[in-house]
Amino acid sequence: MMLHHQAIWTIAVLATAGVIIRPFRVPEWVWAVTGAALLVLTGLVPFSMTGAGILKGDDVYLFLIGMMLLSETARANGLFDWIAAWAVNHAAGSMVRLFTLVYLAGVLVTTFLSNDATAVVLTPAVLAVANRAKADPLPLLFACALIANAASFVLPVSNPANLVLYDGALPALGSWMVSFALPSLMAIVMTYLVLRVTERKHLSQRCASQVDRTPLTRSGKAAFGGIVLTATLLMTFSALDRPLGLPTALAGIATALGVSALARRSPFALARDISWGILPLVAGVFVLVAAIDSTGLVGQVAQLVKPAARTDPATAAFGFGTLLAFVSNIMNNLPAGLIASEAVAQAHAPQLMVDNLLIGVDLGPNLSVTGSLATILWLQIIRRGGEDVRFLQFLKVGALAMPAALFTALGARLLIG
C-alpha cells in the first residue's frame, strides 16, 4: 500500500511540475492530462474515481466556456480597442493615471465577473491599451494579474475557487459581506500600494496623451451588453445560492451567436481563436486531486486541523490560512483548495478557519505566476499577445505583494471575530 501511495504522489508531483515549469514549451494541459492518464493506465486509480474527479469540475468547465466566449466575442468586435482608446485619453499622458484606471477596472471585473474573467476578458483589453498608449505594458499586466486574485473574495462570484472551498454551499450574501468586506478592501489597497512602489520606475515614464477613438460598432455594443447581462446573471444566481457555470455558459453562447449574427460573421471563427486547452487542464487537475485524496492525505490534514481549531481557533485560522496561501503556489490553488475543503469538512472546523483558508487560497497565488488558474490563463493570453513574464520576474513582485495583502486581510478577518 505504501508503494501504491508513493507512485500516486510521484506521478501527481511530476504532472504538477510539468504544468508549472512547462518543459520544452509543451502546453500546460498536456502535462495534467498525461499525469491523469498514467494514473488510470497503471491501475493506480480506478476508472470510476477518474470519472468522478472529472465530473466534479462540471460547473468550472461551464463557467470557463462562457467567459472565453464572451472575451473572444468582445475582442473580435472591437470592444477592447474602444476601451483602450478611452483609457488612454482619460489618462492624459500619465502612466500612473493609466495604471490606476486599469487597476480599478480589474477590481470591477473581478468583483462582478470573477478573477478568471479578469485574466480572459480584461487582459487582452489592457494589451490593447498599452499598444495604443505606446506604454510599457509590464506594470499594467501586473495590475491585471494581481488584482485578479486580490479582489477575488469581494463577492462569492469573484472566484470559482470560492465554490470549491465551500463545497458549493456558499454563505448568504449578507453573511459573506460581513466576513469579507474589510479583508478584501485591505487586500485590494495593499496590493495597489505595493505595485505602485515596485513599478515606480516604469510608472514614471510618459505615455501617449490622445489617440483616435473609432466609434463602437453595433456588434461591439452588443458584446458589451452580453458582458453586462452575464454579470447581472452571476450576481442573481450567487444571491440565490445557485451554481454559476450553466448560466455563464448559456450567456456566453447566446452572446457569441447573437453578436456573430449581427456582425454577419461565422461563430465558428470565434471558437477557433479560443484556448480550449484550459478545459482538459482543469479536468486533469481534478483527477490528480482525487488520486491524492485516495492516499489518505485529506484525513491526515483533518487530524492536524481538528485539535488546533479546538485549542486556539484564532491562531489556528491565521496559521492555516497562511500555510494554504504558500502551498497554493506549490500545487496550484485549485487542488490546494479542494484538499482544504475536504479536510475542514472532516474536521468540522469553525467558520473563522474556513474564512481564513479562503483568504489564503485566493490571495496566495499572487506569489507566483502558476499559483492559480487565473494567472495561468493570464500568462497564456499575454504570450499570445507577444509578451511574457518569467517565473522569477513575477516572484520578485509577488514576494512583496502577496504577504503584505495576505497578512493584512487575515488580520482584518480576525478583528471582525
Side-chain angles (χ1 to χ4, degrees):
M1 183 61 70
M2 182 64 69
L3 289 175
H4 181 90
H5 289 174
Q6 288 177 351
I8 290 175
W9 270 100
T10 299
I11 291 174
V13 168
L14 290 175
T16 304
V19 171
I20 293 172
I21 301 171
R22 214 170 58 122
F24 315 112
R25 296 195 176 275
V26 174
E28 294 89 347
W29 70 267
V30 173
W31 298 104
V33 170
T34 300
L38 279 174
L39 290 171
V40 177
L41 294 174
T42 55
L44 292 171
V45 298
F47 280 104
S48 58
M49 182 185 294
T50 304
I54 293 172
L55 291 175
K56 193 167 185 178
D58 58 352
D59 200 57
V60 178
Y61 310 142
L62 290 169
F63 186 88
L64 288 173
I65 288 170
M67 284 300 169
M68 289 190 293
L69 284 169
L70 283 170
S71 173
E72 188 56 32
T73 301
R75 185 202 64 78
N77 289 277
L79 179 59
F80 292 161
D81 289 333
W82 183 86
I83 292 172
W86 180 91
V88 171
N89 291 342
H90 279 73
S94 168
M95 271 295 292
V96 170
R97 196 174 299 147
L98 185 60
F99 171 82
T100 303
L101 285 171
V102 167
Y103 194 85
L104 291 174
V107 173
L108 290 174
V109 174
T110 301
T111 297
F112 296 107
L113 284 173
S114 87
N115 63 335
D116 293 335
T118 296
V120 174
V121 176
L122 185 63
T123 302
V126 169
L127 281 169
V129 166
N131 288 333
R132 294 296 297 274
K134 296 181 175 59
D136 184 345
L138 195 60
L140 307 180
L141 293 175
F142 272 131
C144 284
L146 269 64
I147 196 54
N149 294 315
S152 65
F153 52 101
V154 176
L155 295 176
V157 70
S158 303
N159 191 341
N162 298 340
L163 302 172
V164 169
L165 192 66
Y166 282 93
D167 200 22
L170 289 167
L173 190 58
S175 300
W176 182 280
M177 295 307 295
V178 170
S179 295
F180 295 113
L182 180 60
S184 60
L185 176 63
M186 299 306 297
I188 290 167
V189 171
M190 287 302 299
T191 302
Y192 175 81
L193 293 176
V194 171
L195 279 174
R196 280 289 304 272
V197 172
T198 58
E199 298 301 309
R200 62 187 180 278
K201 182 178 178 181
H202 298 284
L203 295 176
S204 65
Q205 302 170 4
R206 298 290 294 176
C207 61
S209 57
Q210 287 290 320
V211 295
D212 293 333
R213 187 169 66 175
T214 304
L216 194 59
T217 63
R218 284 198 307 158
S219 57
K221 292 176 182 177
F224 179 74
I227 292 173
V228 172
L229 173 63
T230 303
T232 304
L233 281 174
L234 291 179
M235 290 291 293
T236 303
F237 276 77
S238 176
L240 296 173
D241 195 22
R242 304 298 299 168
L244 306 177
L246 183 58
T248 307
L250 292 176
I253 293 169
T255 300
L257 292 176
V259 173
S260 295
L262 191 64
R264 296 183 180 180
R265 295 174 186 161
S266 170
F268 295 107
L270 293 175
R272 283 196 299 269
D273 291 330
I274 290 174
S275 300
W276 294 108
I278 198 65
L279 299 178
L281 168 64
V282 176
V285 168
F286 272 101
V287 173
L288 293 172
V289 170
I292 292 171
D293 188 12
S294 70
T295 67
L297 173 68
V298 173
Q300 294 173 16
V301 174
Q303 290 303 313
L304 290 173
V305 170
K306 192 180 295 183
R310 289 176 179 172
T311 305
D312 189 348
T315 303
F318 191 95
F320 280 105
T322 301
L323 178 62
L324 184 58
F326 284 93
V327 169
S328 294
N329 292 277
I330 298 173
M331 61 187 304
N332 191 273
N333 75 334
L334 185 57
L338 285 166
I339 292 170
S341 171
E342 297 289 342
V344 295
Q346 291 182 23
H348 303 290
Q351 188 65 41
L352 177 62
M353 178 169 286
V354 179
D355 289 350
N356 274 28
L357 287 172
L358 181 132
I359 292 172
V361 85
D362 281 2
L363 280 179
N366 270 350
L367 178 64
S368 69
V369 75
T370 50
S372 73
L373 180 59
T375 44
I376 291 173
L377 284 167
W378 171 83
L379 189 60
Q380 289 180 336
I381 288 165
I382 67 170
R383 283 171 175 166
R384 286 177 61 192
E387 300 292 336
D388 199 3
V389 173
R390 297 181 301 278
F391 183 86
L392 289 178
Q393 188 179 8
F394 192 100
L395 185 63
K396 287 179 182 178
V397 176
L400 296 174
M402 190 279 277
L406 175 70
F407 296 143
T408 305
L410 290 175
R413 180 62 186 88
L414 292 178
L415 285 175
I416 295 167

